Amino acid sequence: MRRHLRLRALLAAATIVAGSAAVATGTASAAPLPHNTTDACGPAAPGQARCFAEVRTDVHGGTGVHGPAARADGRLEDTALPPGYGPADLRAAYNLPATGGTGQTVAIVDAGDDPNAESDLAVYRQTYGLPACTTANGCFQKVNQDGQSSPLPIDRGWNLEISLDLDMVSAACSSCHIVLVEGNSASVSDLAASENTAAALGATEISNSYGTTERNGLQSYQADYSHPGVAIVASSGDSGYGIPEFPADLTSVIAAGGTSLTRSASARGWSETAWSGASSGCSAWIDKPGWQLDPDCPGRMVADVASDADPNTGPAVYDTADYEPGWLIVGGTSAASPYIAGVIGLAGNPGDFPDASYLYGHTSSLNDVVGGDNVTGENCGGDYLCTAVTGYDGPTGNGSPDGIGAF
């Protein structure tokens, strides 16, 4: 008991120091990444959010369409899929149905324009045999933060993040329509305005794969992330244990944490542990909602639910606007937020999610993730705030999807 109390005191002290630095610079903190990954969007400018996509720099799967859809004659030498998990892998890992989501519209909110968003999405979906999702067939829409198709904002370097978001929604719910809302910048105010636009355009789910370190005053944006009948999801962050990220800390938002997902010889066929980079934390500014009952955090605790986010076990993503064009493996909790939003779309009950409380009442339909922690360079001591334990924990929340029963 004394060791746990001492650990919490040390972590609290470290959190205060890190938080002071983050507030001074106006940027989100970040845990060290493995040598073979890098931040897809780079550091955030003062007063802005950063995206949480982490790209593998040691893997590249070439360009163009892969897989069975690549050739009409089906020659075997042309059926190799890109490196990284595809939709069928994730569907198997999370026991999801192949159909569902008709009538659902998942919006993703990002900063700046990705000029190749629709064409890159087309390659991803063709490679994996998913139905086309285009402007022409009414499945895809790209707008600025005012809801207009033009003028679009300038490129803000979030192109790979946008590709990741579009691909992960598609992987979870291939029948869902997709709206890409591009903020003028990564400022909190522009992203919040984009959130309202997404809801006004009829989104039933909204994914936000970005964040900034929690600080006083950000609570004023609560209304922008609360829309009746719309399930709003946000990445928990890639900074490990410490100060939680906004907007994931808001009580109206489903905070998506991250796991490391690997194949195994278990009955499930897959194994998950907490991803070491996934953020978790106890809010100093947001009151604890009544549906959260964990004992050691008096405020809002992040996260609520989780899915694959480890870039070393990450999904395949197609992007031609950033880095070396083509197939990449991308992780970070930026992968988890759009995937969870897509799962909610697949289940088709967004009205059950004015907050994350529904998940807390349906934990039997989630995979309880046990093992791993998110404290870099320290022994976490087994505390649930930063270690994946039986039942609820910070890095993975209540667990990962096991079918759509919890959604």
Side-chain angles (χ1 to χ4, degrees):
M1 180 65 176
R2 289 182 178 178
R3 187 176 78 160
H4 282 196
L5 291 173
R6 182 174 179 273
L7 171 67
R8 292 192 192 109
L10 289 171
L11 290 174
T15 297
I16 291 170
V17 172
S20 298
V23 171
T25 61
T27 61
S29 58
L33 291 168
H35 69 278
N36 64 333
T37 64
T38 188
D39 294 332
C41 301
Q48 297 194 340
R50 72 177 183 95
C51 85
F52 293 126
E54 311 293 351
V55 58
R56 289 272 295 273
T57 58
D58 60 338
V59 179
H60 192 273
T63 59
V65 178
H66 286 221
R71 292 180 64 100
D73 60 16
R75 291 174 57 185
L76 294 179
E77 60 264 37
D78 294 324
T79 62
L81 290 170
Y85 294 142
D89 299 313
L90 296 173
R91 189 164 58 246
Y94 295 122
N95 191 28
L96 298 177
T99 59
T102 302
Q104 299 294 294
T105 298
V106 181
I108 63 171
V109 170
D110 285 299
D113 180 43
D114 177 0
N116 300 349
E118 185 171 358
S119 59
D120 286 349
L121 176 63
V123 172
Y124 179 88
R125 293 177 72 107
Q126 184 180 356
T127 291
Y128 291 109
L130 305 180
C133 187
T134 66
T135 302
N137 69 12
C139 174
F140 177 75
Q141 184 180 14
K142 182 172 77 167
V143 298
N144 61 27
Q145 71 180 48
D146 297 319
Q148 305 300 314
S149 58
S150 67
L152 295 171
I154 64 172
D155 181 357
R156 297 288 181 177
W158 283 38
N159 299 315
L160 183 53
E161 172 64 61
I162 291 171
S163 292
L164 171 64
D165 291 347
L166 294 174
D167 292 355
M168 288 302 94
V169 171
S170 300
C173 184
S174 62
S175 295
C176 288
H177 287 195
I178 303 175
V179 175
L180 167 59
V181 184
E182 299 181 328
N184 291 341
S185 74
S187 71
V188 172
S189 59
D190 281 343
L191 293 170
S194 300
E195 196 80 7
N196 290 323
T197 293
L201 289 174
T204 47
E205 297 83 18
I206 305 175
S207 172
N208 307 277
S209 293
Y210 58 83
T212 186
T213 306
E214 178 188 73
R215 59 186 182 274
N216 192 23
L218 292 177
Q219 314 94 295
S220 63
Y221 291 98
Q222 174 79 55
D224 302 299
Y225 292 86
S226 178
H227 296 277
V230 182
I232 299 177
V233 188
S235 302
S236 71
D238 299 345
S239 305
Y241 177 70
I243 302 173
E245 302 282 350
F246 166 92
D249 62 342
L250 298 176
T251 54
S252 59
V253 170
I254 300 161
T259 69
S260 297
L261 176 71
T262 57
R263 289 182 173 85
S264 75
S266 66
R268 177 186 172 192
W270 299 83
S271 175
E272 278 184 293
T273 57
W275 174 46
S276 60
S279 291
S280 66
C282 179
S283 175
W285 304 103
I286 306 295
D287 290 339
K288 195 170 203 67
W291 37 266
Q292 264 194 335
L293 302 175
D294 58 294
D296 295 336
C297 170
R300 163 72 159 127
M301 185 67 194
V302 172
D304 300 310
V305 67
S307 64
D308 185 34
D310 185 347
N312 289 303
T313 68
V317 172
Y318 191 78
D319 177 76
T320 58
D322 281 323
Y323 300 99
E324 186 177 356
W327 289 99
L328 301 162
I329 296 179
V330 189
T333 54
S334 275
S337 178
Y339 195 76
I340 294 298
V343 173
I344 296 172
L346 185 69
N349 301 298
D352 289 339
F353 292 93
D355 50 39
S357 59
Y358 194 84
L359 295 169
Y360 288 74
H362 294 81
T363 57
S364 62
S365 295
L366 297 169
N367 297 302
D368 189 8
V369 179
V370 179
D373 64 59
N374 61 359
V375 179
T376 303
E378 294 187 49
N379 178 7
C380 185
D383 196 291
Y384 82 90
L385 298 172
C386 45
T387 302
V389 299
T390 300
Y392 178 83
D393 57 72
T396 69
N398 293 291
S400 65
D402 182 11
I404 60 174
F407 300 92

